[in-house]
Each structure stands twice: as C-alpha cells, then as structure tokens.
C-alpha cells in the first residue's frame, strides 16, 4: 500500500506542524509548566492516534480541516496519560521516547500538573475548534465520548485495573478487559469521533467502533510484546519492564507466539469491519497492519 503509506506520512507531518500552534509557548507563564507540557508533547511519539482520526475521516470522505482539533486533542490526552503512566507511583519508568521521563526531566509535581494541564487543554481545543463549533450538538457528543474514553470507564479506569493486577494471576479475558479500558477506549474514540463529525449512519458508526476496539486491543497486545521482544534503542522505553514489575502482560500469560497470533486475529477482525464504509479505507487498513507489525 505505497499510497496509503505516503498519505500516513503526510498526516504525521501535518500533525507535527499543527501541534506547536496549540501549545502555549514558554514565553508565557507559568513557564515551568508550559516547558514540561511541550517537552513531553514534542518528545517524538508515533502519533498513531491522530493518524487513526484522519484515516477514519478518509473512510468517511471528510476533509482533514474538520479533524485537526480532534487529532491534536487526543494526542495531548495520550501524552498526559504517558506522563502519569511513568510516575514512580505508577509504572516508575525512567525513559520515555528515548529521553528522561517528564518527572525526571522536571520533577514529580510538575509532571503531574503538566499531565493535568494537557488533559484540560485537549478539551479546551475541542470546545474552541472553529469547525466543530459550527455544529454544537456534534461537538457536545464528541466531548462526551472523549470524556468517557479518558475517565473511570476508559483510560483512567483501565490504569487502576492495570496497577491492581500487579503480582496477580489473571486470565487472558481479564487482561483483555484491562487493555480495552486503558488503551482501547482512547483509540476507539479516534475512529468514532470522525463518524460524529460526518454524521455517519448507525452501521458506519458501529463498524468504526468495532474497528477501533479491535485495533486498540491489538495495539496494546503488541505493546506488551515489544516489552519482551523489542529493544530500548527502538522503542525508547525500558525493555522487560512488565516482568520486572510482576505485571501480568500478554507474553507472560499466554506466551510470545500465542500473543502474536491473538494480535493478528484481532487485526483480521478489524480489517473485516472496513467493507461497507463510503470512502477509502486504505489508511485504516495500513494502520491495523502496522499496529501489530512494528518495532516501536
Ligand atoms: C504507548 O503508546 C502506550 C500505550 C498505550 C500502548 P504509543 O506506542 O502510541 O506511544 P508513542 O506515543 O508512540 O510514544
Ligand atoms: C500504557 O500502557 C497505557 C496508558 C494508558 C498510558 P503501558 O504502561 O504498557 O505503556 P508503556 O509500555 O509504558 O508505553
Ligand atoms: Mg502502564
Ligand atoms: Mg508504562
Ligand atoms: Mg507497555
């Protein structure tokens, strides 16, 4: 899919160019907080969540302009989740994206507050977005979906279940449930929010919801795998960190081979959801394949 790959590259560039304009520059105060927010936002992530947003929009024949605010907001929420995820009271990881984690570059209090401020900024961006403001009903429904994806019934809830699982024997189904909450929910909102913008049919919306759920789960299974089969040099994060912390992760529970098989199975199920969408689904296909075949 050479065309899909080049569109993906152009969206990544689009996002990298857009992002600075959304983050208050450090000439403003409080400078320490703004520096920490920018430090983590520009540390070099893959930007896969914004790519899901634009790809979902392409499958619905939407123009990118209508999606920029959503793409940026979700990336900022993801960045906040990583800052908090690395804290000593959570995964206690020192390296993120090949650089010192935010709480080591700054300090713990600043990292916590940078995360808080990034989350608030994300909602501010969606609430102030000129394209979304044209249709306040749609805008409110996107805010509602995003809030649910971040909160107790989404990412934050999943993070609590994840931490609570340390040192415990849990089943594959229980681990899939944790992964669906902590990672799947935010990826799902990436594919569902464009459907709200497009006022997609119930069937289109359901297909994109299922695609997001399946790909999100597959993405986190592969993240677990990279902790075992990846290298810090490529992932930019400490390797073997899950086992060191006695965290139940996919390879520990069902083994490397079966984890890969499960990730592929989910990818194939996700691909099967793309049949009846009105636009071009090539980039959604590309992302589903990439989610379970990557080095970082
Ligand atoms: C890492 O996410 C944490 C998970 C939820 C799996 P990414 O793999 O998308 O991290 P970056 O943004 O590319 O660093
Ligand atoms: C992170 O899962 C999930 C989040 C919601 C941030 P991990 O703890 O496995 O992510 P990494 O491996 O630290 O990036
Ligand atoms: Mg974690
Ligand atoms: Mg972690
Ligand atoms: Mg991980």
């Amino acid at each position: 899919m050479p065309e899909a790959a080049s569109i993906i590259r152009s969206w990544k560039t689009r996002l990298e160019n857009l992002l600075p304009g959304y983050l208050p520059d450090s000439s403003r105060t409080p400078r320490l907080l703004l520096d920490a927010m920018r430090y983590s936002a520009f540390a070099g992530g893959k930007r896969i969540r914004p790519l899901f947003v634009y790809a979902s929009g392409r499958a619905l024949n939407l123009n990118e302009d209508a999606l920029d605010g959503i793409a940026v907001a979700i990336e900022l929420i993801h960045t906040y989740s990583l800052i908090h995820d690395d804290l000593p009271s959570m995964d206690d990881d020192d390296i993120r994206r090949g650089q010192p984690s935010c709480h080591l570059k700054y300090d713990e209090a600043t990292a916590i507050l940078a995360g808080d401020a990034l989350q608030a900024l994300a909602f501010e961006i969606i609430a102030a977005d000129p394209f979304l403001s044209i249709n306040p009903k749609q805008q409110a429904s996107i805010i509602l979906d995003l809030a649910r994806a971040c909160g107790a019934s989404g990412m934050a809830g999943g993070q609590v279940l994840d931490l609570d699982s340390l040192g415990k024997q849990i089943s594959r189904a229980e681990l899939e449930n944790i992964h669906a909450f902590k990672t799947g929910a935010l990826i799902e909102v990436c594919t569902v929010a464009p459907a709200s913008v497009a006022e997609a049919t119930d069937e289109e919306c359901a297909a994109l919801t299922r695609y997001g759920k399946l790909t999100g789960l597959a993405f986190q299974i592969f993240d677990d795998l990279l902790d075992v089969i990846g290298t810090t040099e490529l992932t930019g994060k400490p390797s073997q960190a899950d086992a060191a912390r006695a965290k139940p992760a996919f390879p520990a529970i069902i083994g490397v081979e079966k984890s890969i098989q499960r990730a592929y199975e989910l990818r194939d199920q996700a691909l099967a959801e793309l049949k009846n969408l009105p636009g071009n689904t090539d980039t959604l296909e590309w992302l589903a394949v990439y989610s379970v075949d990557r080095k970082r």
Side-chain angles (χ1 to χ4, degrees):
M1 282 184 277
E3 202 208 340
S6 84
I7 295 171
I8 292 277
R9 268 196 303 278
S10 76
W11 285 336
K12 183 152 190 282
T13 307
R14 180 183 182 95
L15 197 273
E16 299 297 348
N17 291 337
L18 272 171
L19 205 49
Y22 282 94
L23 278 149
D25 76 59
S26 342
S27 63
R28 310 249 304 271
T29 53
R31 180 156 173 199
L32 180 66
L33 183 69
L34 298 173
D35 280 348
M37 290 162 74
R38 295 176 75 89
Y39 173 75
S40 290
F42 300 122
K46 293 182 291 293
R47 313 302 195 195
I48 197 164
R49 291 158 191 78
L51 298 174
F52 277 117
V53 172
Y54 290 123
S56 183
R58 178 167 160 86
L60 295 164
N61 294 316
L62 278 177
N63 187 293
E64 284 99 347
D65 293 343
L67 299 172
D68 287 334
I70 296 170
V72 169
I74 295 178
E75 183 64 13
L76 295 183
I77 286 177
H78 166 62
T79 302
Y80 127 66
S81 80
L82 296 181
I83 295 175
H84 284 196
D85 183 72
D86 290 337
L87 288 167
S89 53
M90 294 190 66
D91 288 349
D92 193 14
D93 279 327
D94 293 353
I95 320 171
R96 172 64 63 184
R97 297 164 169 172
Q99 297 175 59
S101 300
C102 190
H103 64 275
L104 291 177
K105 174 77 182 179
Y106 295 90
D107 56 57
E108 249 182 86
T110 307
I112 292 169
L113 293 164
D116 293 342
L118 283 167
Q119 172 161 230
L121 177 59
F123 284 99
E124 183 182 334
I125 288 168
I126 295 195
D129 186 83
F131 288 93
L132 300 178
S133 300
I134 295 167
N135 189 335
K137 216 173 137 212
Q138 262 172 26
Q139 187 179 32
S141 113
I142 292 163
I143 291 172
L144 178 65
D145 287 345
L146 186 56
R148 286 186 173 143
C150 300
S153 52
M155 189 264 293
Q159 289 286 63
V160 167
L161 298 175
D162 168 288
L163 294 171
D164 188 52
S165 74
L166 289 196
K168 293 188 180 156
Q169 297 266 344
I170 62 168
S171 67
R172 188 189 91 172
E174 285 169 318
L175 185 58
E176 290 199 358
N177 184 53
I178 295 174
H179 284 11
F181 272 68
K182 76 172 186 182
T183 301
L186 199 58
I187 291 185
E188 189 182 318
V189 84
C190 294
T191 59
V192 170
S196 299
V197 177
E199 296 185 317
T201 64
D202 289 349
E203 290 74 26
E204 289 159 3
C205 207
L208 285 166
T209 303
R210 286 191 297 267
Y211 168 92
K213 244 188 231 315
L214 292 159
T215 319
L217 177 55
F219 186 83
Q220 181 62 48
I221 293 175
F222 211 82
D223 180 86
D224 286 2
L225 274 160
L226 285 176
D227 188 73
V228 175
I229 60 175
T231 62
T232 299
E233 202 188 349
L234 291 172
T235 63
K237 340 189 246 201
S239 56
Q240 317 285 341
D242 293 333
R245 204 175 290 127
K247 175 171 293 202
F250 253 82
I253 289 191
I254 61 170
V256 168
E257 270 320 304
K258 284 207 174 111
S259 302
I260 294 174
Q261 287 318 316
R262 179 66 182 137
Y264 287 176
E265 186 178 275
L266 291 161
R267 171 203 60 196
D268 293 342
Q269 288 170 7
L271 291 172
E273 294 295 338
L274 301 178
K275 283 190 204 96
N276 296 318
L277 293 168
N280 196 331
T281 58
D282 58 350
T283 49
L284 283 177
E285 286 164 38
W286 191 97
L287 287 166
V289 171
Y290 172 75
S291 292
V292 297
D293 183 14
R294 55 196 172 95
K295 302 248 182 306
R296 60 186 283 255

